[in-house]
Amino acid sequence: MELISHNLGCIRGGREIFDGLSFASKAGKGLLLTGPNGSGKSTLLRVIAGFLPAAAGTLELHGGDEEVPLGEQCHYVGHLNGIKRSLTVSENLDFWVDYLGGGDVDSAMAAFDLDSLAGIPAGLLSAGQARRLGLARIALAYRPLWLLDEPTVSLDTGSQKLLARVIKDHLSGGGLVIAATHAPLGVKFTQTLNLGSAGERS
């Protein structure tokens, strides 16, 4: 499986964020997005997820399901956790099971050490616990491509290790991960895309 971008461009608010962006990310190899604030890292993730339109170029997931839109083959985790504060931890995951069309709540809770918090309303969670709950959906239902925008925000060292283990397992199973982060993920990404240097790839 491989995600290929060819001459991708995006314009937001009348401003060109990036243009002529070409890269390829293969299964099992993480792609790390780097560059200064405002260089387009979050924007690129949102374009891949289908939340923002591309102004030019193409995105293709080779080896994916050709009948399913690219965005529906992604897990996207942005700056917000996407949880419902009035629902308990387990109820939040049940909601995501319904939304994603299936999933294993028990394994997702175990992956992010949420078992002891299952019956607690999400509104009572600490920032780190809420972040773990928001991340748990990547372990809930399979999607080949994970798009992670600053995923370690609010996570302590132990929680960062949990996330690193989940990412490693996904990559070793042939998945794709594209992440934008200013903090170490504890995972060796084999590819880097520097949006601050005309989209150079190393």
Side-chain angles (χ1 to χ4, degrees):
M1 188 176 299
E2 185 176 23
L3 178 70
I4 298 176
S5 165
H6 180 67
N7 288 331
L8 196 65
C10 182
I11 297 174
R12 296 184 67 182
R15 183 172 74 92
E16 181 180 277
I17 307 299
F18 51 76
D19 185 48
L21 187 62
S22 297
F23 64 88
S25 180
K26 294 184 178 181
K29 297 183 178 181
L31 175 63
L32 185 65
L33 303 181
T34 64
N37 291 338
S39 61
K41 300 184 297 296
S42 295
T43 297
L44 175 57
L45 292 176
R46 292 178 66 81
V47 170
I48 297 171
F51 300 148
L52 292 174
T58 59
L59 278 167
E60 298 178 350
L61 184 61
H62 292 185
D65 190 333
E66 296 181 356
E67 297 183 0
V68 178
L70 174 59
E72 294 181 20
Q73 300 185 66
C74 301
H75 274 309
Y76 170 85
V77 177
H79 295 172
L80 301 179
N81 292 320
I83 61 179
K84 296 182 179 295
R85 293 172 55 84
S86 62
L87 300 181
T88 66
V89 168
S90 61
E91 288 170 344
N92 267 278
L93 292 175
D94 286 338
F95 167 83
W96 279 106
V97 166
D98 291 340
Y99 183 82
L100 296 171
D104 187 338
V105 170
D106 291 339
S107 65
M109 286 202 294
F112 285 94
D113 193 23
L114 294 169
D115 298 276
S116 63
L117 304 173
I120 296 178
L124 299 180
L125 299 178
S126 69
Q129 291 168 340
R131 189 57 171 171
R132 278 190 279 139
L133 176 56
L135 286 163
R137 64 181 177 272
I138 65 177
L140 188 64
Y142 178 76
R143 295 292 187 274
L145 174 57
W146 292 2
L147 307 171
L148 309 178
D149 196 355
E150 300 294 348
T152 60
V153 169
S154 300
L155 295 183
D156 59 20
T157 301
S159 298
Q160 290 175 17
K161 291 180 179 179
L162 294 175
L163 174 61
R165 184 180 305 123
V166 171
I167 292 174
K168 289 176 182 177
D169 287 346
H170 184 62
L171 290 173
S172 65
L176 294 138
V177 178
I178 301 177
T181 180
H182 289 97
L185 285 175
V187 180
K188 183 179 180 181
F189 278 33
T190 57
Q191 297 173 292
T192 301
L193 180 65
N194 186 350
L195 295 181
S197 298
E200 295 177 0
R201 182 169 64 88
S202 62

